[in-house]
Amino acid sequence: MSLYEHKKVVAIGGGHGLGRMLAALKVFGANATGIVTTTDNGGSTGRIRHCQGGIAWGDTRNCINQLITEPSISSMMFEYRFKGAGELDGHNLGNLMLTALDHLSVRPLDAINLIRNMLKVDVNIVPMSEHPSDLTALSTEGKWVTGETNVDEMQQDLLRLDLDPEVPATREGVHAIAQADAIILGPGSFLTSVMPPLLLPEIGLAIANNTHAKLIFVENLSPEYGPAGRMSLEQKLEWCERACQARQIDVIIGAEPHPDLTEKWNCVTRDLASPNRDWRHDRVKLRQAIEEQLID
């Protein structure tokens, strides 16, 4: 039996970073699960949320897009973005399709599965929650801001992150974590992609309770901006561990060595960059780096 048939992997995050990770793990098929952040309030997603409500669909759509292997009319429809001077300008048809299914009282996870089946995507994609919530942040000066875009633009450093309102985690996501052999955090925007799912107590507790899984943090290849860019790697790891009930991260995979962190964490240095875009992870290199940890 191959590695892909008897090992289960869960990756947590949002948008481009999680999409890249899931594309790397595509060979695991239904044994791979992505738990996707649903707090985005920018772009087409933010406009839809503002006038229609519901969870943010943009990161989910992005992940599905990166997993499409067979281009088709269906996939072209799902990825289509309107252009022009009217209200549809900038809207992505995939976001609108998922919103429409939500309004038809289809459970968000069922809506995702319907689209996955239509586009022949085997990897499981689970929203972190099926209830709308926004990211909120408290600055070191005592000021609260709400919304991912505002958090990214904060001039002050952060004391804490929260979700408003508090919402339950999707039970299928919690179950996937409990069954996982590897749980992967990142790559992606730390405060607005990696952290939001960890703010759900059930997800943090599920990670803490799964002691046989290897908890892996994958670093970004390019620097972040805003408050996340001012955080050290050590701070980021400590934030993750605090959210996971003090469960220690087993492995940090990155392109640069961290001799100052090796007393506390196992830091693995690997060439992960795409040959033509050094700021983006190469799918094959990323998959191989994760496989190394599953074989150990």
Side-chain angles (χ1 to χ4, degrees):
M1 189 183 290
S2 76
L3 181 75
Y4 311 130
E5 292 173 316
H6 76 277
K7 295 287 188 180
K8 295 179 184 292
V9 290
V10 169
I12 297 173
H16 298 284
L18 180 61
R20 201 74 180 162
M21 177 59 74
L22 294 179
L25 300 174
K26 189 161 53 178
V27 288
F28 285 85
N31 278 340
T33 299
I35 297 178
V36 191
T37 295
T38 56
T39 50
D40 187 13
N41 70 328
S44 167
T45 296
R47 289 164 60 198
I48 291 171
R49 289 190 72 195
H50 179 71
C51 65
Q52 300 288 328
I55 64 172
W57 289 110
D59 286 1
T60 297
R61 190 205 78 247
N62 198 311
C63 290
I64 293 173
N65 281 348
Q66 294 198 51
L67 287 164
I68 295 169
T69 51
E70 299 175 22
S72 62
I73 294 295
S74 297
S75 68
M76 289 168 65
M77 276 178 53
F78 191 67
E79 296 177 52
Y80 182 77
R81 191 175 292 275
F82 292 93
K83 296 174 183 174
E87 289 184 14
L88 282 176
D89 179 41
H91 273 309
N92 185 284
L93 185 55
N95 287 345
L96 296 172
M97 289 165 71
L98 287 162
T99 302
L101 287 167
D102 196 7
H103 285 189
L104 289 169
S105 299
V106 175
R107 187 183 168 205
L109 183 59
D110 291 340
I112 294 168
N113 290 339
L114 191 87
I115 298 291
R116 278 181 50 233
N117 291 336
M118 181 180 81
L119 300 176
K120 299 180 173 61
V121 169
D122 294 328
V123 173
N124 299 297
I125 297 181
V126 180
M128 70 180 213
S129 178
E130 296 182 289
H131 302 268
S133 185
D134 282 301
L135 195 62
T136 66
L138 177 65
S139 77
T140 49
E141 297 179 2
K143 180 185 176 185
W144 283 96
V145 302
T146 299
E148 278 194 11
T149 53
N150 292 327
V151 171
D152 273 335
E153 293 168 1
M154 287 178 73
Q155 300 299 311
Q156 304 84 26
D157 292 340
L158 268 62
L159 276 180
R160 63 179 290 171
L161 279 176
D162 280 310
L163 294 173
D164 183 30
E166 293 181 9
V167 289
T170 309
R171 61 181 180 273
E172 288 82 356
V174 173
H175 179 74
I177 291 169
Q179 301 295 313
D181 297 290
I183 301 164
I184 305 161
L185 309 178
S189 305
F190 179 71
L191 294 172
T192 55
S193 289
V194 177
M195 278 302 299
L198 302 183
L199 298 176
L200 296 166
E202 305 101 310
I203 286 182
L205 188 61
I207 294 172
N209 287 341
N210 185 351
T211 53
H212 84 270
K214 194 167 274 192
L215 184 57
I216 303 167
F217 185 93
V218 178
E219 290 184 71
N220 294 334
L221 295 177
S222 57
E224 287 199 70
Y225 299 96
R230 298 190 294 271
M231 294 177 73
S232 67
L233 176 59
E234 184 174 13
Q235 285 176 307
K236 292 176 181 178
L237 298 174
E238 287 172 348
W239 275 49
C240 290
E241 291 183 349
R242 193 182 315 132
C244 297
Q245 315 280 317
R247 159 84 146 89
Q248 184 160 10
I249 293 170
D250 297 301
V251 186
I252 290 89
I253 302 175
E256 302 290 336
H258 298 287
D260 54 322
L261 300 181
T262 52
E263 281 190 19
K264 188 171 180 183
W265 288 285
N266 175 20
C267 298
V268 174
T269 306
R270 293 288 179 270
D271 171 21
L272 297 173
S274 177
N276 55 348
R277 292 183 176 86
D278 60 6
W279 47 266
R280 190 163 74 177
H281 291 78
D282 180 87
R283 293 186 185 96
V284 175
K285 294 175 182 176
L286 200 50
R287 190 195 77 227
Q288 290 170 343
I290 299 300
E291 284 176 1
E292 276 180 37
Q293 300 305 319
L294 284 166
I295 292 166
D296 281 357

